[in-house]
Structure formats: C-alpha cells, structure tokens
Amino acid sequence: VPPSAEALPDPNRRADFIFGLDGHHILADAKYKVDATSLEASDGDQMFAYSHTATVPGSSQLTDAGVVFYPQRRDMLRQDQARTRDVLVRATDPRYELRLLDLPIPSPTDVATDAAWRGYLVSLAGGIRQELAALNVPDQHLVTSTAC
C-alpha cells in the first residue's frame, strides 16, 4: 500500500544549519528539548532522511556528517562546555556519522553584558569545534573550501 500524502516528508522542510568545518560539510539540527536524554524516533527518522537528501547550498553535494544540538542545564553537564552524548553511524554506505551534542544553556551571568555574551559564544564555538573534530568522515568527501 503506498503511503498517504500525509505520511510523506515535507519537501520544503530543511535542516537548521549546514556549515563547513575542516574541509567537511556538516548538517546540524537544533532540538529545543531541554534535558532530553535520547534521540527520539521522529528526530532520528528526520536526520536519516536529511543524511540522504541535504545538499550543500549552491551544489548537489551531500553533507558529510551530522550533529544534533541539545540544550542542557549546566547542572546536567559534567563540564561547563559542549560534550558529545552519543555517536550514531548509518548502517548503509556511504558512512555517515551523527553526533548528539549537549550544549550548555547560557546562565544569567553569560548574558549580563555584551562582553560576557561574546565570551559565552566563543567558548561554545570552541567546544563545538573540539567535539566535532573527532568526526569520522571519509576523505573522499573532503572539499577545499569551508564556505557554505
């Protein structure tokens, strides 16, 4: 029985971000579920579909890997920075790694001044870069430009 039109994915639905990192294109989606402990089935299905369909803007190249960002209260984190919660790998070729990444919610101190906010963002970006540096992305997808 063919699926109903209601069950088909929305062709206008897009991932939240696609960015370049160390020559790879990373698909990123933010989930606004504070203190979520696992990837929900619907979110997993969504990211699986994106891994097969999301292309780098201005090209037909698929993304190399994915990440899901989850906000977490600082008391739920072991450290006061981004950390990888889990790594999932698509079972079919080509290899596609999906990281679930917890991000600290800014504290009142982090947003008290422009300087504090900039400091929070710089620290957050550094933590994300450090966590994603461990991505296992096939070299055949390496690109020469990180601009997306």
Side-chain angles (χ1 to χ4, degrees), residues 84-136:
T84 298
R85 173 194 314 175
D86 207 353
V87 179
L88 307 172
V89 179
R90 184 171 61 201
T92 58
D93 285 333
R95 179 186 172 83
Y96 195 92
E97 190 172 295
L98 176 66
R99 287 189 174 253
L100 308 183
L101 192 62
D102 291 331
L103 303 179
I105 296 172
S107 69
T109 304
D110 292 328
V111 297
T113 66
D114 285 343
W117 178 242
R118 282 192 299 274
Y120 167 81
L121 293 176
V122 166
S123 175
L124 184 64
I128 291 170
R129 176 176 279 283
Q130 179 179 332
E131 290 296 312
L132 295 183
L135 280 170
N136 185 358

Side-chain angles (χ1 to χ4, degrees), residues 9-15 50:
D10 179 354
N12 298 315
R13 177 114 168 112
R14 304 281 186 256
Y50 286 160

Side-chain angles (χ1 to χ4, degrees), residues 10-145:
D10 179 354
N12 298 315
R13 177 114 168 112
R14 304 281 186 256
D16 294 334
F17 312 98
I18 294 178
F19 59 91
L21 178 66
D22 297 331
H24 297 288
H25 292 106
I26 310 298
L27 167 78
D29 207 50
K31 300 299 176 190
Y32 302 95
K33 303 167 185 176
V34 176
D35 301 333
T37 57
S38 63
L39 183 69
E40 292 181 8
S42 61
D43 296 335
D45 292 345
Q46 177 185 26
M47 293 304 289
F48 179 77
Y50 286 160
S51 76
H52 287 283
T53 62
T55 57
V56 175
S59 82
S60 60
Q61 179 184 351
L62 294 173
T63 58
D64 301 309
V67 62
V68 178
F69 296 126
Y70 286 99
Q72 292 290 322
R73 293 186 316 242
R74 290 170 189 261
D75 62 335
M76 299 293 289
L77 294 171
R78 287 180 295 209
Q79 300 173 0
D80 205 19
Q81 62 186 22
R83 74 170 176 89
T84 298
R85 173 194 314 175
D86 207 353
V87 179
L88 307 172
V89 179
R90 184 171 61 201
T92 58
D93 285 333
R95 179 186 172 83
Y96 195 92
E97 190 172 295
L98 176 66
R99 287 189 174 253
L100 308 183
L101 192 62
D102 291 331
L103 303 179
I105 296 172
S107 69
T109 304
D110 292 328
V111 297
T113 66
D114 285 343
W117 178 242
R118 282 192 299 274
Y120 167 81
L121 293 176
V122 166
S123 175
L124 184 64
I128 291 170
R129 176 176 279 283
Q130 179 179 332
E131 290 296 312
L132 295 183
L135 280 170
N136 185 358
V137 179
D139 285 337
Q140 74 249 21
H141 292 174
L142 191 62
V143 293
T144 57
S145 170

